[in-house]
Amino acid sequence: MESLYRFPAPDFTSGYQLPWPETPPPEGSLLFALDLILLILALALTGYFALHRRSRKGITLILGLSLLYFGFIRGGCICPVGSVQNVALAVADASYRIPVTVIFFFFLPLLTALFFGRLFCGGPCPLGAIQDLVLLRPLRVPGRIDSALRLLPPLYLGVAILAATTDSGFLICRFDPFVSLFRFSGPLYMIAAGFLFLGIGIFVFRPYCRYLCPYGVLLGWISRFSWRHLTLKEESCASCGYCEDSCPEEAVLPPLSEPREAKKQGLRRLMILLLLLPLITAAGGGLGYLLHRPASQMNMSVALAERVAREEAGLVAGSTRYSEAFRESGISLESLYTEALQVQETFRRGSIITGLFLGLLFGLKLTGASLVRRRSSWTIDRSRCFSCGRCFDSCPVERRSGASP
Amino acid sequence: MKLQMTPGTRKLYRRTFAIAAAMSGSFFAVLAILISANALQLAINPPLESPALNRLTERLFEDPSDEQLRQEIRELQLLSRRAYFSRIYQIERGFYLMAGSFALLLLFLKGWALSSGVPLLLRRRGSGLTEDPVDGGRQGRLRALAFAGVFIALVALGSAAFSWRISGAALEAPGVDAPGTAAALPAGLDEEEMRAVMLNWPSFRGPWGQGNSEKTVETGGQIHWTTPVPKKGFSSPLVWENAVFLTGGDAEGLEVYRFDLETGELVWIRSLEDIFGSRRELPGVTEDTGYAAATPALDGERVFAIFASGDLVCLNFEGETLWMKNLGIPDNLYGHSSSLITYGSTLFVQFDHNEEALLYAFDTSTGEELWKQERDVVTSWASPVIIFHDSVPQLVLNADPYVIAYDPEGGGELWRADCMGGEVAVSIAWDGERVYAANQYAVAAAIDPSDGTILWEEFIDLPEVSSPIAKEGLLFMATSYGVVTCRDGATGELLWEAEFDEGFYSSPIEAGGIIYLADRGGTVHIFEASADYKAIGSFSLGEACDATPAVAGGSLIFRTENRLVRAGEDQ
């Protein structure tokens, strides 16, 4: 919503004094402490309901309460999803003082994931909660589309960290589709995006979590090594496959038939991919280098400098309010261009690193797809499973044993 | 989960929920359309920027005394503001209604699903309960490669379609061309290297040693920080991004320093004794030259430093030794003071002393001697400067009796001008057209860089230590007895002169058309680089100053007698 003070005040003849906006005082640390305590509580309760009681109802309750408190009452901030950027900025810029609460918000869900899987996704996350609660009739996303979309979260993570560390803003927060719904305020396009995601979420399970959430990338990696993850009743499995059908995230993996390929062939393919891994990583770095100038447009100074240079060269007609404000400021063109070039230099380094990271991930994905796995029963994919507990109700063994209230 | 109810009841519930969901969904859709239309209209025709209001406002500027017009504008503004806030209010309220209707829609849909017995299950994919792992892996790889291919294609298309204005060589805004930067890149340098030099302060008197900076300085004389320098010296500070480098030395030791630009904190000290592992043999020097008079040089990764002992060292920015050598103790009456300079991957050392006069070129990464030129000049204390004449780089050295230009690539002599005399400590100036060389008790001369022809000579108010500076056909010189002159670069005609209480050893530097010049008493004088003398101001550094300042981060870095000082606006 536009500020009241974007245009000159009228000439009041009645003597009315227009109040000036004031900077609100910072929130008390007590509230942040409460946030932290409630996060710990929510994680603990989600773990209790998911791992001990195996109760979907209990998890749903936590989802509802998290949505209410972390979503609508606290406005979706602070949240671990955006804290990735704070941590990245703190690592890159020694002068940035990251709040202690943010550090806890970043590390606690990861620590929990290391022990018990993605409990944060299952309960406390307000973004996941709102999507989980709107699901009505889950549809299976076609494999090709699903595979392609699942490459977006690490890309988003890399770009968000690049933007945060180059002083180009916190993209994850700026483009969070649900924050505007939590706060009943925001740019119109973000409100529309929020409703769009919810609309999709009626049929596609947690679209933001599966296909965009950058923090989910980290949780997924760590969950692979979790100590006591949520499991199926494998020892008494009836081989009905209902658990696989009930999981809208498709995190329940079916058993695999015997591979119809010679072991030697598979090993050869794996070795080739491993040898190519450094090349693929380097190619990612090269692509990152090629993209550093377009990427630098994320930064306001670079974007402004480009716009002003185009106006100066007569390549664009008119001006924007930003270029007009710049000309009114009295700052020299040289200063603007110099600053823009310095930022681009920072982007060059950052983009190469981001490219190397994404290239490595891509290479590992190709390599991982070459590993011939063996599964004799239904198993949970720990990196994908949100610990939402939907599989409890569908399992006839669980229902018979009364383990699923 | 299914509710237990009779078929008739279930049908009734199903129908009720379906109707309610349809109504709330329709309400939501209508609201979405209305609010979007409202917002779109607000964006296309903002009430506060109505043409009628603008026309009236323009008329008021022409006739500010028209009270009726003023009243008309007030009324129209009030209507505009009402319209604006009314729309904002509608959008706000509409949003709440949308959220409510969406929530109801979800609720009714859930009710309908429960009463219909719609299973919350995915449709089973394929036939059979098992998957083929090899086939699954192949599909996974193909999909990943396909995605990567599409992504790269989009990137290539996007990059090809977008041309960039902001790049080192492509900047065409007025005033951005700095002396020495030709439209074409000089030989031996790429765009990145060129830009890096221009944006930092890597040698004595800045980029290429010319004394001009593309940057601007914002200073009213505020001292941002001061830091004690461990040992004295007359070398000038250098800056690369956030690092400030300096040298110092006395009979106890010779040192290289790195400071932090933002805080002034001393980051590290390296002593030559540690670098070489032995105590250095020191020559005799005078008090006003000392052991650390030569300014080091930077290339973005390394700092090169030379001392009166003939020791030349190369350290990385973390202070680790990369290479070092000793050129022999120079037989120099006052002490070696010729500063270093780099060009591309070559480090140049002007080493003119009583026994021999040499110009060295070393590889910056290894210290390997690339070439060496013997010079038929006498001892010089001046420093080499790099100029670009028709995009061709020249390394120009001032000494008695010749000003000589060399090819940085192989050391070949390009031209020489027989015009100099005396004890030369003054480096040349360059304005993009002419080379200017001067020395007290000798001459100030302008030289054609194409063949070394002397264009004019003048013989009064000449500098002794402070190197002159040139900008757009104007030559500025500062003498050791306090006179500053401005001469027409084309003819040598004196345009103005100004007298100050203290003399000048520090060389003037120019940034954004403003000249900054520190006198020996530590007062910095600021005036315009113009054909008429226009003083802008002055401020005190608190201590004597003989070194030349660096431009960095919108401020100036000075070395005074005992301290390093950053003067400028609080960044």
Side-chain angles (χ1 to χ4, degrees):
Chain A
M1 304 300 175
E2 303 275 11
S3 162
L4 287 171
Y5 299 94
R6 61 185 291 275
F7 43 83
D11 251 341
F12 292 116
T13 51
S14 62
Y16 175 71
Q17 293 295 321
L18 193 70
W20 285 105
E22 293 170 359
T23 307
E27 281 183 332
S29 53
L30 209 58
L31 208 51
F32 288 123
L34 180 64
D35 287 345
L36 201 52
I37 291 167
L38 289 176
L39 174 67
I40 294 169
L41 197 61
L43 284 167
L45 283 172
T46 306
Y48 171 71
F49 284 121
L51 303 177
H52 183 68
R53 292 293 300 273
R54 295 179 74 86
S55 165
R56 168 66 192 166
K57 283 202 182 80
I59 294 172
T60 307
L61 179 66
I62 302 300
L63 284 170
L65 292 173
S66 298
L67 178 61
L68 182 64
Y69 181 75
F70 291 115
F72 290 104
I73 293 176
R74 297 299 281 136
C77 186
I78 34 181
C79 91
V81 179
S83 67
V84 175
Q85 299 160 122
N86 299 78
V87 170
L89 182 57
V91 168
D93 182 0
S95 65
Y96 173 68
R97 299 283 179 258
I98 183 172
V100 171
T101 327
V102 175
I103 296 175
F104 276 108
F105 263 74
F106 176 75
F107 280 111
L108 269 174
L110 294 176
L111 199 61
T112 317
L114 186 60
F115 286 96
F116 305 114
R118 295 174 71 161
L119 295 182
F120 175 70
C121 303
C125 179
L127 311 187
I130 197 172
Q131 294 171 84
D132 197 298
L133 292 173
V134 304
L135 180 70
L136 191 68
R137 178 69 178 93
L139 299 176
R140 194 185 294 278
V141 177
R144 289 189 189 90
I145 297 173
D146 183 76
S147 300
L149 290 175
R150 286 195 190 267
L151 293 170
L152 290 178
L155 183 65
Y156 192 19
L157 177 65
V159 171
I161 290 176
L162 178 65
T165 52
T166 56
D167 202 24
S168 305
F170 283 6
L171 296 186
I172 298 172
C173 304
R174 201 193 305 170
F175 296 113
D176 185 330
F178 304 111
V179 157
S180 50
L181 300 181
F182 293 151
R183 300 178 186 181
F184 292 94
S185 173
L188 203 62
Y189 62 89
M190 287 316 301
I191 295 172
F195 280 119
L196 184 66
F197 269 93
L198 287 185
I200 294 171
I202 294 174
F203 302 103
V204 176
F205 180 61
R206 296 195 180 207
Y208 182 84
C209 303
R210 293 163 82 179
Y211 303 130
L212 274 179
C213 180
Y215 191 62
V217 177
L218 304 177
L219 288 171
W221 288 343
I222 291 175
S223 286
R224 283 174 199 265
F225 309 104
S226 54
W227 173 54
R228 296 282 294 271
H229 195 279
L230 187 154
T231 56
L232 300 168
K233 295 282 185 188
E234 290 175 30
E235 65 279 2
S236 47
C237 177
S239 302
C240 59
Y242 286 161
C243 53
E244 184 190 348
D245 296 339
S246 72
C247 180
E249 167 58 354
E250 300 178 59
V252 176
L253 304 173
L256 297 170
S257 55
E258 279 300 307
R260 288 180 281 115
E261 182 188 63
K263 199 171 175 180
K264 212 174 172 179
Q265 192 181 348
L267 265 172
R268 196 174 68 222
R269 184 179 56 240
L270 183 64
M271 289 311 300
I272 292 171
L273 282 170
L274 282 172
L275 286 170
L276 285 176
L277 188 58
L279 282 174
I280 296 170
T281 307
L287 203 61
Y289 172 77
L290 288 173
L291 284 173
H292 81 273
R293 284 218 177 106
S296 68
Q297 282 282 90
M298 283 193 286
N299 186 278
M300 289 293 293
S301 300
V302 175
L304 175 62
E306 269 299 317
R307 174 71 203 191
V308 167
R310 285 172 188 278
E311 288 175 13
E312 291 288 311
L315 292 174
V316 290
S319 58
T320 64
R321 54 181 161 158
Y322 301 106
S323 60
E324 281 175 17
F326 165 73
R327 289 193 173 84
E328 293 293 320
S329 68
I331 298 172
S332 68
L333 283 169
E334 293 92 317
S335 290
L336 177 67
Y337 294 151
T338 302
E339 188 188 344
L341 289 171
Q342 285 172 337
V343 171
Q344 273 194 351
E345 179 57 31
T346 314
F347 262 91
R348 186 178 67 86
R349 287 192 297 267
S351 296
I352 290 172
I353 294 170
T354 306
L356 287 170
F357 162 70
L358 292 172
L360 178 65
L361 281 187
F362 182 73
L364 287 173
K365 186 167 178 69
L366 283 180
T367 311
S370 295
L371 291 172
V372 176
R373 292 180 170 84
R374 283 170 169 74
R375 272 196 308 271
S376 55
S377 64
W378 277 262
T379 317
I380 285 179
D381 182 342
R382 294 184 171 202
S383 65
R384 281 196 190 185
C385 174
F386 290 141
S387 303
C388 68
R390 279 188 164 78
C391 50
F392 302 154
D393 287 343
S394 65
C395 179
V397 175
E398 287 220 39
R399 282 204 299 272
R400 240 190 343 262
S401 67
S404 173
Chain B
M1 188 176 122
K2 294 182 184 177
L3 292 171
Q4 301 296 328
M5 53 184 83
T6 62
T9 313
R10 186 191 299 283
K11 197 174 174 185
L12 178 64
Y13 272 117
R14 197 167 62 232
R15 199 173 283 170
T16 309
F17 280 126
I19 293 169
M23 285 174 63
S24 52
S26 306
F27 187 56
F28 174 81
V30 167
L31 277 174
I33 291 167
L34 287 175
I35 287 170
S36 302
N38 202 347
L40 200 62
Q41 200 170 14
L42 196 62
I44 294 171
N45 291 316
L48 300 168
E49 294 169 29
S50 77
L53 190 57
N54 288 340
R55 274 198 300 275
L56 289 178
T57 313
E58 279 166 23
R59 276 174 52 193
L60 186 66
F61 279 130
E62 290 163 13
D63 184 12
S65 60
D66 190 343
E67 274 307 316
Q68 193 181 347
L69 181 60
R70 204 178 278 271
Q71 186 57 31
E72 217 177 307
I73 290 173
R74 281 199 192 105
E75 283 165 13
L76 190 55
Q77 267 199 347
L78 182 60
L79 286 173
S80 299
R81 286 163 204 260
R82 273 202 188 130
Y84 176 79
F85 284 110
S86 162
R87 287 198 187 275
I88 295 294
Y89 181 79
Q90 283 167 14
I91 292 172
E92 213 172 85
R93 292 291 171 265
F95 177 46
Y96 282 117
L97 287 173
M98 269 176 69
S101 60
F102 190 83
L104 283 174
L105 170 66
L106 286 175
L107 213 57
F108 293 138
L109 283 174
K110 283 269 187 191
W112 174 83
L114 281 173
S115 55
S116 301
V118 172
L120 288 181
L121 296 174
L122 296 174
R123 207 171 299 121
R124 180 71 58 87
R125 63 172 165 226
S127 59
L129 289 173
T130 59
E131 275 190 1
D132 177 13
V134 175
D135 192 49
R138 187 183 310 121
Q139 282 187 15
R141 289 192 299 278
L142 285 172
R143 285 167 188 169
L145 287 169
F147 179 83
V150 168
F151 180 72
I152 291 169
L154 285 172
V155 161
L157 276 170
S159 299
F162 204 103
S163 63
W164 296 90
R165 301 297 303 167
I166 302 294
S167 63
L171 282 171
E172 290 178 11
V176 171
D177 284 339
T181 59
L185 283 171
L189 279 191
D190 63 27
E191 183 188 312
E192 298 265 1
E193 286 168 321
M194 192 75 174
R195 195 166 71 233
V197 171
M198 299 309 296
L199 291 178
N200 291 285
W201 199 264
S203 52
F204 173 56
R205 300 167 71 215
W208 317 122
Q210 295 174 10
N212 304 89
S213 174
E214 274 191 355
K215 298 183 173 188
T216 52
V217 173
E218 305 289 338
T219 176
Q222 296 89 332
I223 302 299
H224 197 53
W225 50 253
T226 75
T227 298
V229 179
K231 288 187 188 296
K232 288 190 180 186
F234 294 97
S235 60
S236 299
L238 302 179
V239 185
W240 194 282
E241 292 181 355
N242 208 38
V244 182
F245 295 93
L246 201 60
T247 55
D250 55 25
E252 304 306 313
L254 309 172
E255 293 174 345
V256 184
Y257 312 113
R258 174 177 166 172
F259 298 85
D260 182 271
L261 176 66
E262 294 304 318
T263 62
E265 179 193 341
L266 178 61
V267 177
W268 50 253
I269 304 176
R270 290 302 311 280
S271 79
L272 257 62
E273 284 68 32
D274 288 339
I275 292 169
F276 283 91
S278 62
R279 197 170 169 79
R280 310 315 300 153
E281 191 181 342
L282 300 176
V285 296
T286 57
E287 206 177 285
D288 60 0
T289 308
Y291 297 103
T295 300
L298 310 174
D299 70 351
E301 294 173 331
R302 309 173 191 89
V303 51
F304 310 93
I306 190 167
F307 295 84
S309 54
D311 291 317
L312 176 66
V313 296
C314 170
L315 313 173
N316 65 15
F317 279 13
E318 283 69 48
E320 295 162 341
T321 309
L322 298 178
W323 53 263
M324 68 274 199
K325 49 180 77 228
N326 182 278
L327 303 180
I329 296 181
D331 181 8
N332 190 312
L333 176 63
Y334 302 115
H336 180 79
S337 73
S338 296
S339 299
L340 304 174
I341 198 165
T342 62
Y343 181 78
S345 57
T346 308
L347 170 70
F348 299 103
V349 183
Q350 182 176 352
F351 206 62
D352 299 335
H353 56 89
N354 292 336
E355 287 177 8
E356 57 183 353
L358 296 165
L359 172 63
Y360 285 102
F362 297 103
D363 182 290
T364 51
S365 49
T366 62
E368 176 199 346
E369 185 184 300
L370 299 173
W371 49 260
K372 180 171 69 179
Q373 278 291 357
E374 290 186 9
R375 290 161 41 74
D376 48 355
V377 297
V378 301
T379 307
S380 169
W381 294 264
S383 300
V385 175
I386 293 173
I387 69 168
F388 299 96
H389 177 58
D390 293 337
S391 300
V392 176
Q394 298 183 8
L395 184 67
V396 186
L397 278 59
N398 192 13
D400 174 13
Y402 304 112
V403 178
I404 306 176
Y406 298 90
D407 174 11
E409 195 59 35
E413 189 176 306
L414 299 173
W415 53 260
R416 63 169 62 190
D418 183 359
C419 61
M420 204 42 63
E423 293 176 335
V424 178
V426 177
S427 307
I428 63 109
W430 163 249
D431 65 359
E433 201 179 336
R434 286 170 286 268
V435 170
Y436 305 94
N439 189 37
Q440 194 177 33
Y441 308 128
V443 70
I447 303 166
D448 182 348
S450 52
D451 56 8
T453 305
I454 298 169
L455 302 172
W456 55 257
E457 290 176 319
E458 291 291 336
F459 303 95
I460 55 170
D461 291 326
L462 305 174
E464 180 190 0
V465 176
S466 168
S467 299
I469 194 171
K471 170 86 174 176
E472 291 170 358
L474 299 174
L475 175 68
F476 302 89
M477 296 189 288
T479 71
S480 56
Y481 44 89
V483 172
V484 176
T485 58
C486 173
R487 291 186 178 274
D488 184 323
T491 62
E493 177 196 349
L494 180 67
L495 298 175
W496 56 259
E497 68 175 275
E499 283 191 44
F500 300 89
D501 293 336
E502 294 279 352
F504 302 96
Y505 272 18
S506 172
S507 301
I509 57 110
E510 177 268 329
I514 308 292
I515 291 180
Y516 303 86
L517 176 60
D519 65 29
R520 298 203 74 192
T523 301
V524 181
H525 304 278
I526 309 172
F527 50 91
E528 283 190 18
S530 66
D532 301 307
Y533 178 63
K534 289 173 195 162
I536 295 172
S538 65
F539 61 92
S540 174
L541 297 170
E543 271 188 340
C545 179
D546 286 342
T548 299
V551 174
S555 56
L556 297 165
I557 314 298
F558 291 90
R559 181 194 197 146
T560 59
E561 191 175 355
N562 296 297
R563 309 183 76 82
L564 194 64
V565 179
R566 180 175 178 180
E569 296 283 346
D570 193 0
Q571 297 298 313

